[in-house]
Each structure stands twice: as C-alpha cells, then as structure tokens.
Amino acid sequence: MPRVLAAVPKIAVTALIILAIANLLVGVILRYFVGAITDWLDVDPVPFTWVEEVGEMSLAWLTLIGAAIGIQSRSHFTLTVFVHRLSQPAQLWIHRFNHALIAAMGLLVAWYGLKLCLLNRTLTTPGLQINLAWLYASAVVGGILIAIYGVAVTINPRPPPAPQR
C-alpha cells in the first residue's frame, strides 16, 4: 500500500503532462485551423477560451506536485560552494537544516493556498465556470507534499556525495 500511495503524485504528474500537451494541441488546432475554416465558411467561430483555463489549471497542479516530487527524488539543483569543504557531520546537519527550511516553506505555501481557496471559493472561471478554489488547491496539495517530503529527507538523508575535483 505505501508504494501505491507513493506512486500517486508521479501518476498525477504524468496525467497532467499528457493533459497539458493535448490541451495545447487542441488550442493550436482550434485557433489556426478551425478558425480559418469557420472564417472561410463564414460561420460562427468555435469558442476556445476554455483552452487557456485548462492549461492554467493543469500547469499550476503540475508545477507544485512536480516540485514536491523533485524534493522526494532529490533532483533539484544544488550549489555547493562552501559546504563540501566542511566535515561530513557538518554537511549532514546543513543538509538537514536546508530540508527543514524546505518543509517549512511547503507549510507556508499550503497555508496561504488554503487562505486563497477560502477567499475565492465563490468565484468561477469565465469559460468553464470551474470554481477558482480548484486552482488554488494546487498550492495546498503541493505545499503539503513539499512539507512531507522535506521532513522525510530531513529525517532520513542520504549521505552527501563525495566532492568532485
């Protein structure tokens, strides 16, 4: 069960990438091909304002969940200017401190995302009439995942890599 639960964010990001690509493709087709055809036939154009809304929502969710996955897999960019010259225990504590800060930032993002959800829960998007709280819920979910993964890396860090010369 834990492995299935751990795979949910990765499956969600994969689905969101597919949705964003398909949405972009549909937007291009509607804008340039279907628009030209409706102009040529002199009929009412096909509305495609929803494409921007779907793209915005999918990219918000993709970004925040993807950032959390990057923390979990430790694939975010790190700059080692000074820390690699310290002893291994000092490097480990700095690594833990950095990830504790990341977890705190995730909680802050989740808190303000929740406040935005509550503030905008009565508003909807103009095209699809989707509640705007769904857009800001991405910050809540992503922030919580960032906090969870940050704490997990803080508790169980990998040893720092050997310095490269």
Side-chain angles (χ1 to χ4, degrees):
M1 180 66 177
R3 284 188 181 196
V4 172
L5 194 60
V8 169
K10 292 178 182 177
I11 293 168
V13 164
T14 302
L16 286 166
I17 289 172
I18 292 169
L19 174 66
I21 291 170
N23 180 60
L24 186 64
L25 181 63
V26 167
V28 168
I29 290 170
L30 287 175
R31 180 180 305 263
Y32 295 107
F33 297 111
V34 175
I37 291 170
T38 56
D39 285 345
W40 183 69
L41 294 174
D42 197 29
V43 295
D44 290 336
V46 176
F48 56 92
T49 55
W50 59 269
V51 171
E52 183 179 338
E53 293 175 9
V54 171
E56 180 182 3
M57 292 233 185
S58 63
L59 288 176
W61 281 89
L62 174 67
T63 301
L64 287 156
I65 296 173
I69 291 171
I71 292 166
Q72 178 195 30
S73 63
R74 296 169 174 96
S75 61
H76 283 289
F77 173 74
T78 57
L79 183 62
T80 55
V81 175
F82 174 70
V83 176
H84 70 282
R85 298 183 188 274
L86 300 174
S87 66
Q88 290 285 25
Q91 289 181 35
L92 184 63
W93 281 106
I94 290 172
H95 180 76
R96 284 185 166 149
F97 178 73
N98 285 340
H99 281 85
L101 286 176
I102 289 170
M105 184 58 70
L107 289 175
L108 187 66
V109 168
W111 172 253
Y112 279 103
L114 181 62
K115 289 175 77 170
L116 281 170
C117 282
L118 295 174
L119 182 67
N120 293 299
R121 67 179 177 249
T122 59
L123 302 175
T124 59
T125 60
L128 293 174
Q129 300 298 313
I130 296 173
N131 190 324
L132 271 180
W134 282 105
L135 175 63
Y136 299 114
S138 64
V140 177
V141 172
I144 290 170
L145 283 173
I146 287 170
I148 290 169
Y149 294 153
V151 168
V153 174
T154 302
I155 292 170
N156 187 18
R158 290 184 191 154
Q164 296 176 355
R165 299 191 194 266

